[in-house]
Amino acid sequence: DSGVTQTPKHLITATGQRVTLRCSPRSGDLSVYWYQQSLDQGLQFLIQYYNGEERAKGNILERFSAQQFPDLHSELNLSSLELGDSALYFCASSVGTDHEKLFFGSGTQLSVL
Amino acid sequence: AQSVTQLGSHVSVSEGALVLLRCNYSSSVPPYLFWYVQYPNQGLQLLLKYTTGATLVKGINGFEAEFKKSETSFHLTKPSAHMSDAAEYFCAVSDKVGGGADGLTFGKGTHLIIQP
């Protein structure tokens, strides 16, 4: 158990809908990272937050947004969903701002039908 | 921009045999290199990392990797495979400890199959 909690584990929705994925980092970790894993693109870095502030941005679509709350949990919002958004979304956390050791959650499997 | 190429999407070895998973990277600056393992229905776990110093890095579960700058490689090895090693393995590169704007760049992964 990595200590990173993601909910829900599975999510099935329709095209055009909006969903929210939630992540609770390990106790004491200030950074939260979001990754998307798909068969064709592999594991892609989306965005990083550190202590409530956006720290780094990767290949995140404009339809996607994220935030980190004062209690350090994070939410990834996906809107106007398309079939191609179906993927496994991982959250990871680390103590500081670097990627030296990330602790990953078990992921949220999103299926857009 | 950095990139990672993992040769072989699937590798099959017999139990007790040598495991060799290949990773080549591209980076414009001295890289930081990582291997992560993903067991079924779980998130990724860090196996080992190279930042600076000794080029042969030892990780958990008997795995090790060697950074070879001249070959731009960071291959993962284990002398004797165990059934519990069956998993997906990801090589990743970062151009700085902080991850930078690109975060970690991951390879597509190699699925390791252990034959009894």
Side-chain angles (χ1 to χ4, degrees), chain A residues 45-48 54-61 64, chain B residues 100-103:
Chain A
F45 168 66
L46 296 178
I47 197 165
Q48 175 196 0
E54 183 181 304
R55 176 76 179 183
K57 213 165 187 175
N59 300 318
I60 188 166
L61 300 172
F64 296 0
Chain B
D102 296 330

Side-chain angles (χ1 to χ4, degrees), chain A residues 31-75:
Chain A
S31 273
V32 170
Y33 310 75
W34 286 98
Y35 283 85
Q36 179 194 56
Q37 185 179 36
S38 61
L39 284 175
D40 54 345
Q41 297 288 331
L43 200 59
Q44 299 277 317
F45 168 66
L46 296 178
I47 197 165
Q48 175 196 0
Y49 279 82
Y50 175 75
N51 204 20
E53 300 288 329
E54 183 181 304
R55 176 76 179 183
K57 213 165 187 175
N59 300 318
I60 188 166
L61 300 172
E62 286 192 10
R63 300 183 285 108
F64 296 0
S65 65
Q67 54 184 326
Q68 185 179 28
F69 294 87
D71 67 352
L72 301 177
H73 91 271
S74 177
E75 292 181 357

Side-chain angles (χ1 to χ4, degrees), chain B residues 37-111:
Chain B
V37 61
Q38 184 180 22
Y39 297 104
N41 301 314
Q42 295 185 29
L44 281 72
Q45 298 177 37
L46 181 67
L47 267 181
L48 48 79
K49 64 184 179 186
Y50 168 79
T51 52
T52 57
T55 56
L56 182 62
V57 180
K58 295 188 184 300
I60 61 172
N61 301 337
F63 284 93
E64 60 184 37
E66 186 170 11
F67 169 57
K68 291 187 177 180
K69 183 179 178 181
S70 62
E71 299 177 8
T72 60
S73 70
F74 191 57
H75 301 332
L76 181 71
T77 60
K78 181 174 180 177
S80 177
H82 192 273
M83 294 299 291
S84 61
D85 295 326
E88 191 83 16
Y89 291 80
F90 293 91
C91 181
V93 64
S94 172
D95 63 0
K96 59 177 76 172
V97 169
D102 296 330
L104 275 180
T105 298
F106 283 87
K108 290 285 180 77
T110 297
H111 187 63

